[in-house]
Amino acid sequence: MDHPTTPPHTGSSADGGSDAGASGRSVSRRRVLTASGAAAAAGLVGVGRPAAALATPESGRTGPVSGPPQRVWPLWPKSFVSTRGTSFTVDRKPWRFGGTNNYYLHYKSHYMIDSALNDAAAMGLRVVRCWSFVDGDGAGAGGLTMHPEPFVYNEDAFELFDYAVFKAGQLGLRLVVGLENNWGDFGGIPQYATWFGATHDDFFSRPDMRAAYKSWVRFVLGRTNRYTGVRHDREPVIMTWELANEPRCQSDKTGDTLVRWADEMSRFMKRLAPRQLVTVGDEGFYGRANDPDYPYSNFEGVAWPRLTALPAVDYGTVHLYPQGWGEQTFQWGTDWINN
């Protein structure tokens, strides 16, 4: 799901208990940092200070760094996903897929990451959409924070995201990675508003808030994965970078503010990671003035046709909540997808 209505739980038996999850993180992180000799680099870092790489592209991908180097994983995606016309392509051939969402791959234990991704692969899914952010104090992620304050990043906390990318690659899966959230789960834009003493919608227009978001993007994309030795902006396992989950800007019904922001940020990402796809991550609100049907209206300040037409946006996204959008009918949902 895109934004849980309640903060994700961290202590029930369904996830092995919070102690097991926390212990898994601690043991794994300690092993990684000891093996890499990077203990001094752990903790809070400023912009542009990724952890030391544990493998080199020349030596091939490795298994967990506590053991001997492993052979190259045969299922690991070697080519990037591209678009041609209205199709996705891999190696210039049409590529179709089924996928799913998972919102905890970046903060739960290795056991839970393995379980979720193994299940996805066993179901025949080929893409998993996940998060790469925890802003603020980490209240929704068991205290783990990746982004405690503007321009300060917790490199140590990225161990689990690194492992999720590594595990997905082993299984031949690809990831759609959300870089921020319109909602308060894991911090999101509401956390930026708190940091800067601003409103939610200021995120899309204030220069200081845009600079903070860009700095975060540059850091995440430019990091070197501690399990693979490959920078994330050069990793075919990462199919897409998503600007944000369900961005909305109600204060500007024309859609201009959100379109300008998406244009600026998508171009910025394409310069950083030209071989990976970029999408906005919006629900598909159409932006028609005076349309009485909420998802087709301009109420949320989102104009889907204009967002998908931006030159650095590779494809559009559509979400569907028929009950939350006024108990819409099955036929309405079918028409929404087709339209």
Side-chain angles (χ1 to χ4, degrees), residues 93-304:
K93 297 177 181 178
W95 187 71
R96 298 176 67 86
F97 60 89
T100 189
N101 286 297
N102 182 288
Y103 67 88
Y104 58 74
L105 294 183
H106 63 310
Y107 75 96
K108 289 293 188 180
S109 67
H110 287 196
Y111 173 84
M112 290 191 69
I113 294 170
D114 288 347
S115 178
L117 295 181
N118 284 338
D119 283 351
M123 292 169 64
L125 302 180
R126 304 174 74 180
V127 175
V128 177
R129 179 171 175 258
C130 64
W131 305 142
S132 66
F133 59 90
V134 180
D135 310 309
D137 61 9
L144 179 146
T145 178
M146 305 166 86
H147 190 185
E149 58 185 273
F151 307 103
V152 176
Y153 314 121
N154 186 353
E155 172 59 34
D156 191 26
F158 276 86
E159 186 267 328
L160 293 167
F161 178 73
D162 286 352
Y163 181 78
V165 174
F166 171 62
K167 178 66 178 181
Q170 286 181 301
L171 298 170
L173 300 172
R174 297 179 188 265
L175 300 176
V176 172
V177 181
L179 286 159
E180 203 42 81
N181 196 3
N182 184 76
W183 313 102
D185 303 288
F186 308 119
I189 294 176
Q191 179 63 68
Y192 278 77
T194 298
W195 280 336
F196 287 90
T199 69
H200 172 283
D201 289 4
D202 286 336
F203 177 83
F204 302 108
S205 58
R206 274 185 46 164
D208 52 353
M209 298 176 79
R210 299 203 318 273
Y213 175 79
K214 281 185 171 181
S215 176
W216 169 248
V217 168
R218 185 184 293 108
F219 178 77
V220 176
L221 271 63
R223 291 186 57 260
T224 296
N225 187 305
R226 67 196 72 200
Y227 286 95
T228 68
V230 176
R231 279 170 52 127
H232 285 310
D233 57 8
R234 301 172 184 174
E235 176 55 76
V237 170
I238 298 177
M239 167 181 160
T240 304
W241 297 106
E242 192 171 271
L243 301 187
N245 173 53
E246 302 183 338
R248 304 178 181 187
C249 186
Q250 289 185 357
S251 62
D252 182 3
K253 305 297 186 186
T254 69
D256 290 348
T257 297
L258 189 57
V259 168
R260 283 194 296 267
W261 178 83
D263 186 36
E264 176 186 359
M265 299 309 171
S266 60
R267 290 175 187 269
F268 176 69
M269 288 189 192
K270 273 298 184 182
R271 289 194 295 271
L272 296 176
R275 301 187 69 186
Q276 291 164 323
L277 302 179
V278 173
T279 193
V280 177
D282 63 296
E283 293 119 301
F285 294 136
Y286 231 70
R288 293 173 178 164
N290 303 316
D291 194 312
D293 198 349
Y294 165 67
Y296 288 98
S297 75
N298 65 352
F299 181 80
E300 299 292 354
V302 182
W304 187 83

Side-chain angles (χ1 to χ4, degrees), residues 3-91:
H3 52 95
T5 54
T6 57
H9 62 271
T10 57
S12 73
S13 59
D15 63 8
S18 59
D19 291 341
S23 175
R25 282 199 298 272
S26 177
V27 171
S28 175
R29 200 156 52 223
R30 186 160 56 247
R31 183 187 306 126
V32 168
L33 294 175
T34 301
S36 67
L44 304 184
V45 297
V47 177
R49 290 181 57 191
L54 304 179
T56 64
E58 293 75 20
S59 66
R61 302 180 187 279
T62 69
V65 297
S66 59
Q70 306 292 314
R71 64 184 174 82
V72 174
W73 297 97
L75 296 179
W76 201 286
K78 299 177 178 62
S79 302
F80 290 87
V81 179
S82 301
T83 59
R84 179 183 295 176
T86 58
S87 298
F88 291 103
T89 63
V90 175
D91 294 326

